[in-house]
Amino acid sequence: MHKPPISRISRNGYVVAVLATTVIAIIQYFLLPLFVGSPPLLLFLLGVALAAWYGSFRAGLFATVLSTLASIYYLIEPLHSWQIVEQREWLRTLLLFIVGGVLGLMISLLRSGERKALLEVLRQKERLEREIVERQRAEKALSAAHTEVVNERNRLEAIMETLPVGVAILDAQGGIIGSNRAVDQVWGGPCPPVRSISDYAVFKAWWVDTEEPVRPEEWAPMQVLKKGEPVVGQLMKILRFDGARAIVHNSAAPIRDATGRIAGAAVVVMDISESVRREQALRESEERYRLAIDAAQMGTWDWDLGSRKVVGNPRHAALFGYPPKETEMTEQMISDRIYPEDVPHVAAAVDEAKEHHIRYDCDFRIAWPDGSVRWVSSIGDFHYDAHGAPVRMIGVLRDITDRKQAEEALLEADRQKNEFIAMLGHELRNPLAPIRNAVHLMRKVDSPDPNLRWARDVVDRQLDHLVRLVNDLLDVSRIVQGKLALHMNLVELVTVINQAVETSHPLIEFKHHVLSVTLPEEPVYLEGDQVRLVQVVSNLLDNAAKYTPEGGRIWLSASTENGEVAITVRDTGEGISRSLLPHLFDAFTQAARPLDRPQGGLGLGLMIVQKIVEMHGGQVEVKSEGLGQGSEFVIRLPLCEQVCVVPGR
């Protein structure tokens, strides 16, 4: 509420004074004949009262003056004149002026008191309204504060319940006034009521370092309540309520009130039994690792990419030709000892491991100060920061000089072996031609003596077998040395199959086997070396004939599918053991048989088959259910991709 301005109130009073005085004067002027020249001047007091009520004392006084002047001029004889003749009229005029002044003063005082009372009432109302608003605000603030306190308590309780460690709140006497579930989990069951320090006897604990029992006053919260300072890191063994034992980490801190006095304590207890066991296992693992490193005479190294320093064990320094005590080296010290020709190789291996986040694995040479050269194998892994940038590399180093020398000796022996096989094959081939000619001459003589015929046939068969052995040796030598060449031409499948059957027919007939051949009705063409393909198929047929008991069955079939031809040779022979299957295509591999086995052979045929098929872009598969279950070989070769014009068709 706002009090109206004084000037506006006064102005309203003056207006009322003028209007009221004018109206009353006019009324009395027209009623003058009724009053026989003596109108009642006190009627002007009504205007004075109105002016003083709506205005102020000044307005009332102003109305009194106007009323007096109007009476003199309009109502008192002589009219329309300012003269007053009779004394009686003077008294009436004076009485009007005095009474009007007094009335204006009284009404003004009365009005002023009323206004003051009204203003006071309004002020009291405004104050009461402000107090009500402030009280409502205070109540809202109090309610919000209470809600926030409740929410904060709920949040605190929720946080406590989600903590993986036990948390308890104690009062000033050491009694537990609140705890989370983790406390019960640490102690293996609900904790009994604890109201003071004397109740701590229910908790059984021993110091880890001394094995002495923990007295109630030695617990962290009791020391906090006594000294007012935090206690951190009490390690103790406890007897849980479920009978199990555990190792715990106990800490406490004081809780103070607004005056700074200790009102209680907050306790944190954590079961670290698993961590202790892992730490013990880690120490044992590190000890085993150190023993293994020492036993293997391996050097360990840690390369800090920030400082560019390499820290290793004494063995690492010794492998680089430095004194064993030189365990910290710079990158330059390392590169100075790497064999010059191997430096780019080592740098490339490091860069590749860093770029592709793979393991660094590199063999290189180290030049020692005495001029000797040692081979080492270095393996390591990069470690990266949160942004993926490499920060360090850790690895091991070991001397492989003896292994490298053994590998070189093995390679040299293998080279000499290959040269010997090649030379042996050529040397054995030289006498075969004269023997073959002699057999032909013996057939032309056609001696009637059955013994001579038998001897001639034996020589002929064994000569064929010897030729095959020599050819296998020469083929293996060419394959190993990468000298086996193919003469690629357009080849018809039926031609390859017919020539292979023709080549293997004597052995199949000699063993009294039944051979079944199944071929596609449409012509099938391959791009390959016809001689070598015939050799592959006949080799499989010969194996089937040799390793199938007399009177067995052999199936040779071919089919096309998905742009390739599958040639299958299946038999009812001895089968292949599961242990031999993975090594069947290795050189000199055969099932265990006595040296005088009737089948003969050097165990090179299947290796030659696989290499020739692979050179044609195909593959060989073998299947067998086991010994006595027969075997099945499948050759898959790509069909001729181009449309070729076949002569004569």
Side-chain angles (χ1 to χ4, degrees), residues 506-526:
L507 180 59
I508 295 173
E509 186 178 5
F510 177 77
K511 297 290 292 288
H512 304 289
H513 295 318
V514 177
L515 174 63
S516 300
V517 180
T518 304
L519 298 176
E521 296 181 358
E522 297 294 330
V524 177
Y525 296 96
L526 307 172

Side-chain angles (χ1 to χ4, degrees), residues 144-156:
H146 176 71
T147 302
E148 183 63 25
V149 169
V150 173
N151 293 338
E152 187 66 25
R153 184 186 64 187
N154 293 337
R155 284 194 293 268
L156 180 60

Side-chain angles (χ1 to χ4, degrees), residues 4 32 49 81 89 133 154 197 322 354 397 428 474 487 539 643:
L32 187 61
S81 171
E89 297 300 333
V133 171
N154 293 337
I197 186 174
Y322 291 104
K354 182 191 303 183
L397 188 76
L428 289 175
L474 292 175
H487 302 283
N539 200 324
V643 178

Side-chain angles (χ1 to χ4, degrees), residues 539-585:
N539 200 324
L540 294 181
L541 288 173
D542 287 349
N543 279 349
K546 286 192 297 182
Y547 295 110
T548 298
E550 189 171 346
R553 295 204 61 179
I554 300 174
W555 292 270
L556 173 60
S557 61
S559 61
T560 58
E561 184 179 358
N562 297 329
E564 63 181 12
V565 60
I567 305 173
T568 303
V569 177
R570 184 165 58 90
D571 59 57
T572 59
E574 299 176 1
I576 304 169
S577 66
R578 296 186 181 274
S579 61
L580 184 61
L581 276 175
H583 310 286
L584 196 62
F585 294 99

Side-chain angles (χ1 to χ4, degrees), residues 393-413:
M393 189 181 186
I394 300 176
V396 295
L397 188 76
R398 61 191 179 95
D399 191 327
I400 58 170
T401 304
D402 294 340
R403 192 191 78 185
K404 284 292 184 179
Q405 292 174 350
E407 289 176 355
E408 292 176 358
L410 184 61
L411 290 175
E412 178 62 20

